[in-house]
Amino acid sequence: MRSYRRGPVLLRGHQIPEKTTDARLLAPDQDSDWLHADPWRVMRIQAEFVEGFGALADLGPAISVFGSARTKPGSPHYELARDIAARLVEAEFAVITGGGPGVMEAANKGASEAGGISVGLGIELPFEQGMNDYVDLGIHFRYFFIRKTMFVKYSLGFIVLPGGYGTLDELFEALTLVQTSKVESFPVILVGRDYWQGLLDWMVNTQLAEGMISPGDENLVTVVDTVDEVMEALEKGLHAIAEARHANGT
């Protein structure tokens, strides 16, 4: 039987809603009943923030790994994500993913097998992904914006493998926050030059050339291919942040 998870609640059969919590919140055609419903939404939103902060407060240094949920076990990208996560654990980082299949599963698996902390931040979707079996600490969220807050707040850097719209969403969310100084600059590492180079060329040849981004914005990301390059870029990025803090006296 099909299962559907909404926050901590598991639904099946006729209990499965037609719309996700996010979709209902953002629906433009609501009548005045929202005046009565939204205070309860605020309480649910507050509760999710409290739950996330409480679960992750003592996590320690962590790196988020993103990538496609469609990546198949045993494929090159799957194995690369697994190896990257294992190396992150060796460097004493916890590994955070979206908790689903594909690259997320691979990274959680690599972290778990290496004896590290494997975290999954799940989300309510119209189709059930479920939390993969390699997550040691898992949280299911109703709202994307709360989940995104947790990724940014508790990560020292983002490692992004090939993926689709969701992966691009997380990537550009991070770049926007760094560009606008909403968060302190942190390493954003794209893995797979063949996959990402076209996007980076467009950023330079179109966005930068037409003045849509500022000179230097194209350097907010680092593109690599191997596990060793990932770790080198991460170390370099974190070192640069530490030096900037020291120079600023913070």
Side-chain angles (χ1 to χ4, degrees):
M1 180 180 292
R2 180 189 168 204
S3 297
Y4 182 95
R5 188 175 293 276
R6 185 174 63 200
V9 179
L10 179 67
L11 302 171
R12 289 186 174 138
H14 67 276
Q15 293 293 322
I16 296 175
E18 294 181 1
K19 292 183 177 181
T20 66
T21 306
D22 264 336
R24 290 194 298 274
L25 173 64
L26 299 174
D29 56 348
Q30 300 181 53
D31 57 28
S32 61
D33 285 347
W34 69 268
L35 289 169
H36 307 290
D38 273 14
W40 289 101
R41 283 178 177 156
V42 170
M43 293 179 68
R44 285 199 300 267
I45 289 168
Q46 182 180 29
E48 283 206 353
F49 273 119
V50 170
E51 190 72 27
F53 292 153
L56 300 173
D58 297 322
L59 181 61
I63 303 295
S64 288
V65 179
F66 300 98
S68 176
R70 305 182 187 193
T71 301
K72 302 300 183 184
S75 68
H77 291 154
Y78 187 99
E79 294 304 323
L80 183 57
R82 182 178 173 185
D83 292 342
I84 289 170
R87 287 285 295 276
L88 290 173
V89 169
E90 289 177 13
E92 300 185 344
F93 292 108
V95 174
I96 304 175
T97 80
V103 165
M104 295 174 282
E105 176 187 289
N108 287 131
K109 183 176 183 179
S112 180
E113 290 176 337
I117 301 175
S118 175
V119 181
L121 306 181
I123 186 67
E124 179 188 351
L125 295 171
F127 45 89
E128 178 67 18
Q129 279 192 336
M131 196 72 72
N132 70 66
D133 293 335
Y134 303 100
V135 170
D136 302 318
L137 171 59
I139 310 170
H140 273 285
F141 294 97
R142 290 182 174 94
Y143 299 100
F144 266 110
F145 62 89
I146 300 177
R147 181 182 185 236
K148 288 180 178 180
T149 300
M150 300 302 156
F151 276 124
V152 173
K153 180 173 176 59
Y154 294 102
S155 296
L156 295 178
F158 281 12
I159 297 173
V160 188
L161 283 88
Y165 287 164
T167 303
L168 291 174
D169 179 50
E170 298 294 353
L171 168 61
F172 282 103
E173 179 85 15
L175 294 180
T176 301
L177 292 172
V178 172
Q179 182 198 47
T180 57
S181 300
K182 293 296 185 181
V183 299
E184 186 177 44
S185 180
F186 60 88
V188 179
I189 302 166
L190 305 182
V191 184
R193 286 186 176 91
D194 288 345
Y195 190 86
W196 295 111
Q197 195 59 53
L199 174 63
L200 298 181
D201 289 343
W202 173 76
M203 291 170 66
V204 172
N205 299 329
T206 301
Q207 285 188 304
L208 182 60
E210 296 189 14
M212 301 300 177
I213 58 175
S214 300
D217 285 347
E218 76 279 9
N219 298 323
L220 294 177
V221 296
T222 302
V223 189
V224 303
D225 280 318
T226 68
V227 179
D228 287 340
E229 289 176 329
V230 168
M231 300 308 296
E232 181 181 347
L234 182 61
E235 182 180 358
K236 182 178 178 181
L238 294 177
H239 181 70
I241 293 170
E243 285 191 331
R245 285 177 176 172
H246 180 72
N248 295 329
T250 58

